[in-house]
Amino acid sequence: MHSMALGTSALRVSSIAYGCWRLAGSEGVEAPADAADLGRRAVLAAADSGFTLFDLADIYGGGRCEEIFGAALRERPGLRDRIVVVSKCGIRKAGVPDSGSPYRYDGSAEHIRTSVEASLRRMGIETLDVLLLHRPDFLMAPDEVAGACAQLRDGGKVREFGVSNFRPGQVAMLQKACPFPLVTNQVEISLIRREALEDGTLDQCLAERITPMAWSPLARGALMAAAPDDPGGLSRVLDAVAADRGLSRSAVALAWLMAHPAGILPIIGSVQPSRILESSAAAGIRLSREEWYRLLTAARGSRLP
């Protein structure tokens, strides 16, 4: 798989990331008895398919996903040295630390530090390559966040930092306080969710050399099946481009994202080895401008103004 720089850092990563949010089963669905084994094998299948960037978070599976990922690392000696590990913190579920606590965001220095320590223990590693703030805390004090991140960096706990689901103004606010560059902003981007194209997110990423990571790049699977409400014929256009290229619909949808000059890095999260390998094919696709705009027009359901 092709590699690329992550933001302005020295890190080189695969041009598609493997997302570990389903390693312990799908949220809200009872996990099968062999979920941990399936998740561990999925991580190894992704590594064998050329993925070198693995995306996690402290809340995925209540921490179980990081544990399963750590088990995969222990099974494959030397793998840790060949990959880049990203994890996120900042979302706290209801009932923690006490029954009256609401679901909330927490960008306090104490929470950032304790979350990182817990993630490192669960994965059995010494350092996170990248730490992201999962959601913008409305009570976030930029200088406090910057201080916590600097402490983690100086202590060898985290190499690089970024954000997730931050608006351009929030990124600029935090970057002003941080003495080091933010390397990524992880946001939802797909042919169906195109807000980042028009709200300044991708413009800022391009201007500041911040790598945009796209979560749910296949719109939670909607782009892989015929959509009931598809006025622009997106399904038909996806199938036509896929047929012309001899590729899957999902590979074309990922290639559409990767054609953007900001260097969008999609995150795929299937635990099926065949799907993981299929998605990796998107790394070698270069859509023409005509193909790209055909897909955009179909996704919009109308021509551009």
Side-chain angles (χ1 to χ4, degrees), residues 48-301:
D48 291 340
S49 297
F51 290 81
T52 62
L53 178 57
F54 290 80
D55 178 75
L56 301 107
D58 59 353
I59 65 164
Y60 292 165
R64 185 68 179 128
C65 292
E66 289 183 329
E67 293 174 352
I68 293 170
F69 181 78
L73 293 182
R74 290 190 294 276
E75 181 174 328
R76 185 73 62 84
L79 178 59
R80 175 66 185 97
D81 296 332
R82 303 194 302 272
I83 63 174
V84 170
V85 179
V86 177
S87 197
K88 300 181 285 292
C89 71
I91 296 178
R92 304 194 72 175
K93 294 187 176 182
V96 179
D98 55 61
S99 60
S101 298
Y103 178 92
R104 65 208 183 278
Y105 306 144
D106 190 342
S108 66
E110 180 182 5
H111 182 66
I112 292 171
R113 289 192 296 265
T114 57
S115 293
V116 168
E117 294 286 356
S119 289
L120 294 176
R121 284 196 301 271
R122 284 191 289 266
M123 289 186 275
I125 61 178
E126 296 180 353
T127 306
L128 284 178
D129 294 303
V130 187
L131 173 69
L132 308 184
L133 297 182
H134 208 157
R135 293 275 179 177
D137 176 8
F138 296 111
L139 301 179
M140 176 180 67
D143 289 338
E144 181 182 357
V145 173
C149 292
Q151 185 177 14
L152 288 167
R153 193 176 202 182
D154 292 344
K157 304 293 185 181
V158 182
R159 292 189 174 93
E160 305 288 348
F161 298 87
V163 295
S164 180
N165 303 298
F166 274 48
R167 297 191 304 273
Q170 294 167 327
V171 174
M173 174 185 66
L174 184 58
Q175 182 60 87
K176 188 173 183 179
C178 289
F180 39 77
L182 300 173
V183 300
T184 185
N185 186 7
Q186 186 178 126
V187 296
E188 184 176 10
I189 321 174
S190 70
L191 271 163
I192 292 177
R193 294 300 301 269
R194 304 177 303 279
E195 293 87 347
L197 282 171
E198 299 180 356
D199 67 6
T201 296
L202 293 181
D203 299 332
Q204 180 185 52
C205 286
L206 188 56
E208 303 297 332
R209 295 177 62 195
I210 297 170
T211 298
M213 295 177 69
W215 60 268
S216 286
L218 300 176
R220 298 175 177 84
L223 290 171
M224 299 171 66
D229 182 17
D230 189 6
L234 178 55
S235 295
R236 174 180 53 78
V237 177
L238 272 170
D239 285 338
V241 175
D244 287 344
R245 296 277 191 149
L247 297 164
S248 67
R249 181 189 290 194
S250 60
V252 172
L254 295 175
W256 184 83
L257 291 173
M258 297 166 71
H260 194 279
I264 296 173
L265 200 160
I267 308 169
I268 66 102
S270 175
V271 294
Q272 299 179 34
S274 61
R275 287 278 179 83
I276 294 170
L277 181 60
E278 178 183 285
S279 296
S280 69
I285 304 170
R286 295 294 178 267
L287 296 180
S288 67
R289 280 178 175 266
E290 291 73 21
E291 289 173 319
W292 195 90
Y293 275 102
R294 280 175 61 201
L295 289 162
L296 175 64
T297 300
R300 284 169 50 89

